[in-house]
Amino acid sequence: METITKMIVINSSKLLPSDVAIKLYESKADVMVKETCFGVMVSGEREIVDSLLLDIRKLDPYGIFIKERGFAPGEPYRCRATRRGGSRPGFHNLENEDKLLPHIASALKALDRGEIPILKKQTKKLDIDKFKEIIKESEVIK
Amino acid sequence: MKVFIYPTNSLILYDLVERFGHEPLAIMQEIGKKVRKQGLDSPPMNMTPEDPKFGLKYAAVEVPSGVRGRMSLFDPLLSKAEAAIIVTEPVISFGCMGCARTNELVNFLLRGKKIPLLRLDYPNTEEDAKIFVYKISEFLKSLKPSEDKK
């Protein structure tokens, strides 16, 4: 059996990490739960964690984002409590993507409504011959 | 279907691929396997001197060991990949956090694999995000559904 850790990143106006943590405790599943500022980390057997998070996602399908994490919660080589503070490696990408999550959430809502976005037309580069013509036209005749 | 994601630690891509019923291939899985092994020889990532040797499959011996070590981590993911989603020029790959040569090599190998490939830019606005999610959903729908996880 493989033990994995998954991160639940919450970007919701109606759900707090503590709500998710309580739901996880209520399930009485054999997992380790750690509440963090951005969400919750769950560690346990792959089958148990996957099926548990499938239910947790239903709490707010557009506000919960899940990814796997290599290190277990509180890993001494990663946890900043044992590394004299500072952000842990991997936080920077999470911080960067966290800014996009509201946009992704609204895009998922639009997708479920059946909206098809208008694809942008890619602007073509200026043709070299046309560019030469423009230069010729703009030349000042002495 | 097993879908390789780039950036390989992306939360958005991992979540979207899993949400649309496929299996994401991310670097965290490989790191997890390394650090969960019995006996940690070389913390924090447990990259031992043996790992750059596995990277020789992709890069010559004069290539920096950092590239070869990273390639040894990417190797199982690349060999399993049946499709790929690539976000071009992600912020995470800029500066010392990313290894430009490894990223170029990974992108090159993916293009050479002749697997279904989707190339996108990170969205900056809500409209861009709608296009981003729509393109990913259409791409993933066009793939065969994922087999049951073992």
Side-chain angles (χ1 to χ4, degrees):
Chain A
M1 285 290 221
E2 196 188 2
T3 308
I4 58 155
T5 305
K6 282 207 170 182
M7 289 162 77
I8 305 172
V9 179
I10 297 164
N11 197 291
S12 170
S13 55
K14 55 181 180 183
L15 205 65
L16 287 169
S18 57
D19 300 331
V20 175
I22 287 166
K23 280 278 172 197
L24 287 164
Y25 288 129
E26 274 176 8
S27 71
K28 292 179 184 172
D30 188 16
V31 290
M32 185 168 78
V33 178
K34 189 190 180 197
E35 194 185 320
T36 66
C37 56
F38 57 79
V40 181
M41 281 194 276
V42 190
S43 193
E45 301 289 347
R46 185 178 283 278
E47 286 79 15
I48 298 169
V49 171
D50 282 347
S51 64
L52 191 62
L53 296 194
L54 213 63
D55 295 332
I56 290 296
R57 199 195 278 276
K58 285 174 194 160
L59 292 174
D60 187 1
Y62 307 115
I64 288 179
F65 294 87
I66 299 166
K67 84 161 179 176
E68 198 171 326
R69 191 186 175 206
F71 291 87
E75 173 76 45
Y77 297 111
R78 264 300 185 259
C79 183
R80 61 185 187 162
T82 48
R83 288 175 59 250
R84 299 176 189 171
S87 55
R88 65 169 179 78
F91 172 75
H92 303 290
N93 198 33
L94 189 69
E95 187 188 27
N96 180 46
E97 288 198 327
D98 191 66
K99 290 175 201 159
L100 301 174
L101 292 183
H103 294 327
I104 300 292
S106 68
L108 284 167
K109 276 179 202 166
L111 192 74
D112 283 353
R113 283 198 300 267
E115 271 181 39
I116 298 170
I118 305 153
L119 300 177
K120 280 181 189 171
K121 279 181 188 172
Q122 283 196 331
T123 47
K124 282 181 184 172
K125 284 178 184 172
L126 189 66
D127 187 51
I128 190 76
D129 294 327
K130 202 174 179 184
F131 185 54
K132 280 178 184 172
E133 271 177 35
I134 293 167
I135 294 169
K136 271 186 185 176
E137 282 169 15
S138 61
E139 273 176 0
V140 182
I141 305 157
K142 286 179 183 174
Chain B
M1 225 170 179
K2 289 172 179 171
V3 183
F4 184 90
I5 55 170
Y6 178 84
T8 45
N9 60 347
S10 171
L11 163 72
I12 294 171
L13 293 180
Y14 190 98
D15 183 85
L16 289 177
V17 171
E18 207 173 46
R19 208 178 268 260
F20 293 117
H22 292 274
E23 193 184 331
L25 294 173
I27 199 78
M28 296 82 77
Q29 296 156 357
E30 292 309 313
I31 291 171
K33 277 177 203 163
K34 277 205 165 296
V35 298
R36 284 194 299 266
K37 251 200 298 196
Q38 285 280 316
L40 209 54
D41 300 323
S42 172
M45 296 283 201
N46 207 18
M47 293 293 284
T48 56
E50 288 299 307
D51 287 304
K53 287 181 193 167
F54 291 119
L56 285 171
K57 185 177 166 185
Y58 296 104
V61 73
E62 63 266 23
V63 171
S65 55
V67 175
R68 283 184 281 126
R70 283 178 172 91
M71 287 316 293
S72 73
L73 270 179
F74 282 116
D75 175 42
L77 302 176
L78 287 169
S79 55
K80 276 188 259 175
E82 293 167 324
I85 300 175
I86 296 172
V87 173
T88 47
E89 294 179 25
V91 180
I92 192 69
S93 70
F94 177 78
C96 59
M97 290 291 286
C99 175
R101 295 290 166 255
T102 310
N103 295 337
E104 278 175 19
L105 186 55
V106 167
N107 279 289
F108 171 74
L109 291 167
L110 284 172
R111 283 199 302 274
K113 258 180 90 85
K114 309 281 181 206
I115 52 173
L117 199 73
L118 179 70
R119 291 176 78 86
L120 296 156
D121 286 327
Y122 260 128
N124 293 315
T125 60
E126 199 173 323
E127 288 308 308
D128 286 349
K130 281 180 184 171
I131 296 167
F132 180 83
V133 172
Y134 179 75
K135 278 186 177 173
I136 290 176
S137 80
E138 288 299 303
F139 175 73
L140 293 173
K141 275 178 202 165
S142 71
L143 304 172
K144 275 188 277 176
S146 177
E147 289 169 22
D148 289 332
K149 283 176 189 175
K150 284 172 193 173

Short mmCIF file of all heavy atoms in Angstrom, two decimals, chain B residues 1 11 14 18 25 45 47 64 83 87 92 103 107-108 113 115 122 124 136 146:
data_model
loop_
_atom_site.label_atom_id
_atom_site.label_comp_id
_atom_site.label_asym_id
_atom_site.label_seq_id
_atom_site.Cartn_x
_atom_site.Cartn_y
_atom_site.Cartn_z
N MET B 1 -6.34 8.16 -19.24
CA MET B 1 -5.06 8.34 -19.92
C MET B 1 -4.08 9.10 -19.02
O MET B 1 -4.50 9.95 -18.25
CB MET B 1 -5.29 9.14 -21.20
CG MET B 1 -4.58 8.57 -22.39
SD MET B 1 -5.14 9.40 -23.86
CE MET B 1 -4.15 8.58 -25.05
N LEU B 11 -0.43 23.28 -9.63
CA LEU B 11 -1.68 22.95 -8.92
C LEU B 11 -2.86 22.99 -9.89
O LEU B 11 -3.68 22.07 -9.91
CB LEU B 11 -1.90 23.95 -7.78
CG LEU B 11 -3.30 24.03 -7.19
CD1 LEU B 11 -3.62 22.79 -6.37
CD2 LEU B 11 -3.46 25.26 -6.31
N TYR B 14 -2.72 20.04 -12.45
CA TYR B 14 -2.96 18.75 -11.77
C TYR B 14 -4.45 18.61 -11.46
O TYR B 14 -5.06 17.58 -11.72
CB TYR B 14 -2.13 18.68 -10.47
CG TYR B 14 -2.13 17.31 -9.82
CD1 TYR B 14 -1.07 16.43 -10.03
CD2 TYR B 14 -3.18 16.86 -9.03
CE1 TYR B 14 -1.05 15.17 -9.46
CE2 TYR B 14 -3.18 15.61 -8.46
CZ TYR B 14 -2.11 14.77 -8.66
OH TYR B 14 -2.09 13.52 -8.10
N GLU B 18 -7.16 15.92 -13.24
CA GLU B 18 -7.87 14.96 -12.38
C GLU B 18 -9.38 15.18 -12.43
O GLU B 18 -10.16 14.24 -12.45
CB GLU B 18 -7.35 15.11 -10.94
CG GLU B 18 -7.48 13.85 -10.12
CD GLU B 18 -6.82 13.99 -8.77
OE1 GLU B 18 -7.03 15.01 -8.09
OE2 GLU B 18 -6.10 13.07 -8.39
N LEU B 25 0.43 13.26 -14.50
CA LEU B 25 1.79 12.81 -14.17
C LEU B 25 2.57 14.03 -13.71
O LEU B 25 2.89 14.90 -14.51
CB LEU B 25 2.46 12.20 -15.40
CG LEU B 25 1.87 10.90 -15.94
CD1 LEU B 25 2.54 10.51 -17.24
CD2 LEU B 25 2.00 9.77 -14.94
N MET B 45 15.97 15.67 -0.93
CA MET B 45 15.30 15.00 -2.05
C MET B 45 15.70 13.54 -2.19
O MET B 45 15.14 12.82 -3.01
CB MET B 45 15.63 15.71 -3.37
CG MET B 45 15.13 17.11 -3.45
SD MET B 45 13.39 17.14 -3.77
CE MET B 45 13.24 18.79 -4.42
N MET B 47 18.42 12.50 -3.52
CA MET B 47 19.09 12.30 -4.81
C MET B 47 20.50 11.81 -4.50
O MET B 47 21.31 12.54 -3.92
CB MET B 47 19.17 13.61 -5.60
CG MET B 47 17.84 14.13 -6.06
SD MET B 47 17.03 13.12 -7.28
CE MET B 47 17.97 13.54 -8.72
N PRO B 64 25.84 19.16 -17.20
CA PRO B 64 25.87 19.27 -15.73
C PRO B 64 25.04 18.20 -15.02
O PRO B 64 23.98 17.81 -15.51
CB PRO B 64 25.28 20.66 -15.49
CG PRO B 64 25.54 21.41 -16.72
CD PRO B 64 25.53 20.43 -17.84
N ALA B 83 -0.15 11.66 -23.15
CA ALA B 83 -0.56 12.97 -23.67
C ALA B 83 0.13 14.01 -22.80
O ALA B 83 0.66 13.67 -21.73
CB ALA B 83 -2.07 13.13 -23.58
N VAL B 87 2.32 24.47 -20.46
CA VAL B 87 2.09 25.91 -20.34
C VAL B 87 3.42 26.59 -20.64
O VAL B 87 4.42 26.31 -19.98
CB VAL B 87 1.56 26.28 -18.94
CG1 VAL B 87 1.50 27.78 -18.78
CG2 VAL B 87 0.19 25.68 -18.72
N ILE B 92 7.43 30.07 -12.75
CA ILE B 92 8.26 29.23 -11.88
C ILE B 92 9.57 28.82 -12.55
O ILE B 92 10.57 28.58 -11.88
CB ILE B 92 7.45 27.98 -11.41
CG1 ILE B 92 8.17 27.23 -10.28
CG2 ILE B 92 7.14 27.04 -12.55
CD1 ILE B 92 8.23 27.94 -9.00
N ASN B 103 14.22 22.05 -18.70
CA ASN B 103 12.89 22.37 -19.21
C ASN B 103 12.86 22.28 -20.73
O ASN B 103 11.91 21.75 -21.32
CB ASN B 103 12.46 23.76 -18.75
CG ASN B 103 12.28 23.83 -17.25
OD1 ASN B 103 12.07 22.79 -16.61
ND2 ASN B 103 12.39 25.00 -16.69
N ASN B 107 10.65 19.59 -22.92
CA ASN B 107 9.74 20.02 -23.99
C ASN B 107 10.11 19.40 -25.32
O ASN B 107 9.24 18.98 -26.09
CB ASN B 107 9.75 21.55 -24.11
CG ASN B 107 8.86 22.19 -23.08
OD1 ASN B 107 7.65 22.10 -23.18
ND2 ASN B 107 9.45 22.78 -22.08
N PHE B 108 11.39 19.31 -25.58
CA PHE B 108 11.89 18.72 -26.83
C PHE B 108 11.52 17.23 -26.90
O PHE B 108 11.03 16.74 -27.92
CB PHE B 108 13.41 18.90 -26.90
CG PHE B 108 14.07 18.15 -28.02
CD1 PHE B 108 13.95 18.57 -29.33
CD2 PHE B 108 14.80 16.99 -27.77
CE1 PHE B 108 14.56 17.87 -30.36
CE2 PHE B 108 15.41 16.28 -28.79
CZ PHE B 108 15.28 16.73 -30.09
N LYS B 113 7.96 12.72 -28.93
CA LYS B 113 7.22 11.48 -28.59
C LYS B 113 6.00 11.24 -29.48
O LYS B 113 5.42 10.17 -29.44
CB LYS B 113 6.77 11.53 -27.12
CG LYS B 113 7.64 10.70 -26.20
CD LYS B 113 7.16 10.79 -24.76
CE LYS B 113 6.15 9.74 -24.42
NZ LYS B 113 6.69 8.46 -24.01
N ILE B 115 2.93 12.38 -29.18
CA ILE B 115 1.72 12.13 -28.39
C ILE B 115 0.84 13.38 -28.51
O ILE B 115 1.35 14.45 -28.85
CB ILE B 115 2.05 11.82 -26.91
CG1 ILE B 115 2.97 12.90 -26.31
CG2 ILE B 115 2.65 10.43 -26.75
CD1 ILE B 115 3.21 12.79 -24.83
N TYR B 122 -0.24 30.85 -19.58
CA TYR B 122 -0.98 31.06 -18.32
C TYR B 122 -1.97 32.21 -18.50
O TYR B 122 -1.62 33.23 -19.10
CB TYR B 122 -0.01 31.42 -17.19
CG TYR B 122 0.32 30.26 -16.28
CD1 TYR B 122 1.64 29.93 -16.01
CD2 TYR B 122 -0.68 29.52 -15.67
CE1 TYR B 122 1.96 28.87 -15.18
CE2 TYR B 122 -0.37 28.46 -14.85
CZ TYR B 122 0.95 28.14 -14.60
OH TYR B 122 1.25 27.09 -13.78
N ASN B 124 -4.11 35.55 -17.66
CA ASN B 124 -3.94 36.72 -16.78
C ASN B 124 -5.27 37.35 -16.42
O ASN B 124 -5.40 38.01 -15.40
CB ASN B 124 -3.06 37.77 -17.47
CG ASN B 124 -1.64 37.28 -17.63
OD1 ASN B 124 -1.07 36.71 -16.70
ND2 ASN B 124 -1.07 37.46 -18.80
N ILE B 136 -8.41 23.16 -22.39
CA ILE B 136 -7.97 21.97 -21.65
C ILE B 136 -9.09 20.94 -21.60
O ILE B 136 -8.86 19.74 -21.83
CB ILE B 136 -7.47 22.34 -20.23
CG1 ILE B 136 -6.14 23.10 -20.33
CG2 ILE B 136 -7.31 21.11 -19.35
CD1 ILE B 136 -5.59 23.61 -19.03
N SER B 146 -9.55 7.65 -18.72
CA SER B 146 -8.51 6.99 -17.90
C SER B 146 -8.96 5.62 -17.45
O SER B 146 -10.12 5.39 -17.13
CB SER B 146 -8.25 7.87 -16.68
OG SER B 146 -7.32 7.27 -15.85
#
